[in-house]
Amino acid sequence: MLDTNLKNQLQTYLQNLKSPVELIVSADASPKAQELVRLADDITTLSGLVSVKSEADTGAKSRTPSMKVTGERGTQISFAGLPMGHEFTSLVLALLHTGGHPVKLSEEQMTQIRELPGEYHFETYVSLSCQNCPDVVQALNMMAAINPNITNVMIDGALFQDEVTERNIMAVPSVYLNGELFSQGRITLAEILNRLDTGAEARQAQALAEKEAFEVLVVGGGPAGASAAIYAARKGLRTGVLADKFGGQVSETVGIENFISVKATEGPKLVANLEAHVRDYDVDVMDNNKAVALHKNGLFEVELANGAVLKSRTVLLATGASWREMNVPGEKEYRGKGVAYCPHCDGPLFKGKKVAVIGGGNSGIEAAIDLANIVEHVTVLEFDSKLRADEVLQRKAKSMGNITIITQAMTTEVLGNGKQVTGLNYTDRATGDSHYVELAGIFVQIGLVPNTEWLAGTVDLTPRGEIIVDAQGQTSLPGVFAAGDVTNSAYKQIIIAMGSGATASLSAFDYLIRHSEEEAAEAAA
């Protein structure tokens, strides 16, 4: 099942086991089940502390195929399906944490997890091509490894289609807690704990409000924000990073092949490396926090959604961008019920069904090509009179027998039955005629919109909502800098965002030097 390279890597990791781990496998004669049996057998050959048992010998009954990872402390972490692809790391971590290898969480978070009252049984539906799903699976698995009253089972939605249909799951990750829908989409460990521990948010807000003023406060944890934080910390400045979710849009990027010196990587891997690099420095990372206002009151004040206020001598805005929405009736109502923005994540849930892709740029046509290998048919709707994607992508899409491309198409409404998408209406811009397309899913790929709604009236913005900066990254408000996709930079690329983050951070350092000299001169006078 595992190739030699994977076996060697896994054997090295399993040397960190400190206590026995038992794999309980539920299998039948199906190909996937037999693959899971071989996977479990391969794992047992790599460590004397890992054993395997058939669920049939225990009298219990789980999904088939599935594998439960359990240990001396009563940990129960399960995988329904074959945990390969993006989820192989989740399996490795489950083995290590169940076998006593330390969980890399703060003592505060571990205490919070241990003290949660009651029992929590999580079911996490994923697709193995989803790059965001492992973060959620691993967060819940860590909780299960710490508190025996918490269990989690990863469920491959493509393999358990009956459950997906019964629960009307049309987006991943979808998390159920004790049988009820708990969350849909990417969610962090901190967010999970805030929902389970009702007093957590208030405690967090109080702790943030008591922080000493920063010299550089970076708002945003994507490539631009990470770069800015590292450069500021290397200058010896008291640096903080405030982020809703560390990584930003890069977390949702599957393949990255234009990051110079790295031939190929994936978004989640790059984000993990960025965060690890930032945390190597004396940087106060405050994730799971959203900025809602910026004021100048002597020092700059950044107001957070939880009511806390952070103060700093300079602020560096790197809030990035979010998926642009169609803004048509029905879109919000059916988001997560057929309206999706990540074809790699949610595409497998639409196997054998008809879907649409909105947008004919590179992202849209790439999505259509990927989906065409999974779904019955893809309809591409492009507003312009011609596609904007690279010619090579257009040729590939047109060569596939189950992709229909419609130009001059303006989507006017998303339709559904109250539970899920059933189709959409669009207008032919050339003729004015209205048309209906029967669909199960709609993937929106029409670009990004800068995350600046909270800055209106504070700094100058372009008509598109981008922060206007000069060559040094300075905004219209002295002492406030900006970098990355949130600005009016000519091109939106990871490497450009990182460079602009460094530029803005060095400019903030220069501002602080000059500002300190001015303050000293005023004091002497």
Side-chain angles (χ1 to χ4, degrees):
M1 177 62 198
L2 297 177
D3 61 31
T4 302
N5 185 43
L6 272 179
K7 282 185 177 180
N8 289 338
Q9 291 182 44
L10 184 53
Q11 187 170 36
T12 300
Y13 289 132
L14 294 181
Q15 290 175 5
N16 294 301
L17 293 177
K18 295 177 174 57
S19 59
V21 174
E22 185 174 59
L23 307 179
I24 303 176
V25 178
S26 172
D28 53 23
S30 66
K32 284 294 182 185
Q34 291 307 303
E35 284 186 69
L36 187 63
V37 170
R38 291 196 296 274
L39 173 61
D41 289 340
D42 280 352
I43 294 172
T44 61
T45 66
L46 303 177
S47 173
L49 286 174
V50 182
S51 60
V52 64
K53 178 188 293 185
S54 171
E55 187 180 67
D57 297 332
T58 69
K61 187 170 179 59
S62 303
R63 294 174 177 85
T64 301
S66 68
M67 178 168 65
K68 182 183 296 181
V69 182
T70 187
E72 291 180 340
R73 294 175 296 175
T75 299
Q76 293 189 50
I77 299 170
S78 301
F79 297 88
L82 193 65
M84 298 300 290
H86 290 298
E87 293 297 347
F88 185 67
T89 300
S90 301
L91 172 61
V92 174
L93 290 173
L95 292 167
L96 293 176
H97 295 154
T98 301
H101 187 63
V103 178
K104 291 185 178 180
L105 293 177
S106 68
E107 188 56 43
E108 180 184 5
Q109 284 183 316
M110 293 179 68
T111 299
Q112 191 177 2
I113 293 168
R114 289 190 194 100
E115 294 180 353
L116 286 172
E119 294 188 356
Y120 304 86
H121 302 293
F122 290 98
E123 300 166 288
T124 309
Y125 290 85
V126 307
S127 66
L128 298 183
S129 59
C130 169
Q131 66 272 26
N132 292 320
C133 294
D135 290 342
V136 179
V137 171
Q138 289 164 27
L140 294 170
N141 285 354
M142 285 191 290
M143 292 174 62
I146 294 167
N147 186 336
N149 292 321
I150 299 173
T151 66
N152 183 45
V153 52
M154 179 220 81
I155 305 165
D156 179 1
L159 195 58
F160 292 88
Q161 281 283 337
D162 290 346
E163 290 187 40
V164 167
T165 301
E166 181 182 351
R167 283 180 157 172
N168 196 33
I169 296 169
M170 308 192 77
V172 292
S174 285
V175 179
Y176 282 74
L177 171 58
N178 298 337
E180 301 293 330
L181 183 64
F182 177 76
S183 70
Q184 195 172 66
R186 188 172 56 178
I187 186 170
T188 65
L189 176 64
E191 289 173 312
I192 295 169
L193 291 176
N194 281 348
R195 292 186 59 176
L196 299 178
D197 181 358
T198 55
E201 188 172 6
R203 294 195 302 272
Q204 182 185 41
Q206 180 64 31
L208 290 170
E210 294 174 354
K211 287 184 180 290
E212 179 185 346
F214 295 96
E215 291 177 290
V216 177
L217 177 60
V218 180
V219 184
S227 174
I230 289 169
Y231 269 76
R234 286 175 62 86
K235 291 294 185 182
L237 301 174
R238 175 169 164 71
T239 305
V241 174
L242 178 75
D244 185 10
K245 292 184 178 71
F246 205 96
Q249 284 295 316
V250 177
S251 300
E252 300 177 12
T253 304
V254 178
I256 300 171
E257 298 180 351
N258 58 356
F259 190 74
I260 310 305
S261 83
V262 178
K263 290 184 179 180
T265 187
E266 296 180 340
K269 184 177 180 180
L270 178 58
V271 167
N273 290 339
L274 283 175
E275 185 170 5
H277 196 176
V278 169
R279 292 184 184 274
D280 274 346
Y281 290 90
D282 187 15
V283 175
D284 189 347
V285 178
M286 300 161 284
D287 54 6
N288 192 39
N289 285 289
K290 186 175 182 179
V292 295
L294 171 63
H295 308 288
K296 179 71 184 294
N297 185 20
L299 294 172
F300 290 104
E301 297 180 346
V302 176
E303 183 181 342
L304 310 186
N306 60 19
V309 174
L310 296 173
K311 297 181 179 182
S312 183
R313 292 179 62 197
T314 63
V315 172
L316 201 154
L317 304 170
T319 47
S322 302
W323 292 113
R324 187 180 298 277
E325 298 181 348
M326 297 181 291
N327 292 317
V328 299
E331 179 179 16
K332 291 188 182 299
E333 180 184 354
Y334 289 102
R335 184 166 187 168
K337 300 177 182 179
V339 175
Y341 301 85
C342 180
H344 302 288
C345 300
D346 301 330
L349 299 177
F350 295 87
K351 183 178 180 179
K353 300 178 181 179
K354 297 177 181 179
V355 303
V357 172
I358 311 301
N362 283 346
S363 296
I365 300 304
E366 286 174 354
I369 293 169
D370 288 344
L371 289 166
N373 294 311
I374 303 171
V375 305
E376 177 187 341
H377 188 270
V378 182
T379 301
V380 177
L381 301 178
E382 165 56 41
F383 184 84
D384 204 349
S385 59
K386 61 182 180 180
L387 298 180
R388 293 167 286 110
D390 294 343
E391 185 61 32
V392 64
L393 293 174
Q394 293 190 41
R395 287 198 302 270
K396 175 64 176 176
K398 291 173 181 177
S399 72
M400 302 182 79
N402 61 340
I403 296 179
T404 299
I405 297 172
I406 304 173
T407 57
Q408 298 201 74
M410 181 175 69
T411 305
T412 56
E413 186 177 10
V414 173
L415 304 171
N417 58 14
K419 294 183 178 180
Q420 61 192 53
V421 166
T422 57
L424 64 75
N425 290 331
Y426 76 90
T427 297
D428 186 326
R429 296 175 57 239
T431 65
D433 295 338
S434 295
H435 300 274
Y436 168 75
V437 183
E438 182 181 354
L439 302 161
I442 301 169
F443 291 85
V444 184
Q445 300 285 290
I446 54 176
L448 302 169
V449 59
N451 297 319
T452 55
E453 68 282 351
W454 63 288
L455 292 168
T458 304
V459 295
D460 290 347
L461 307 175
T462 68
R464 291 167 54 94
E466 299 165 321
I467 301 172
I468 299 173
V469 295
D470 63 17
Q472 284 70 47
Q474 173 68 61
T475 71
S476 59
L477 183 58
V480 175
F481 302 84
D485 289 1
V486 75
T487 71
N488 60 333
S489 61
Y491 304 102
K492 314 301 185 186
Q493 297 289 317
I494 295 171
I495 197 164
I496 292 174
M498 286 184 172
S500 68
T503 297
S505 187
L506 293 172
S507 297
F509 175 65
D510 183 68
Y511 172 89
L512 287 169
I513 293 173
R514 297 177 186 280
H515 196 62
S516 296
E517 290 175 349
E518 292 171 4
E519 288 177 342
E522 289 175 3

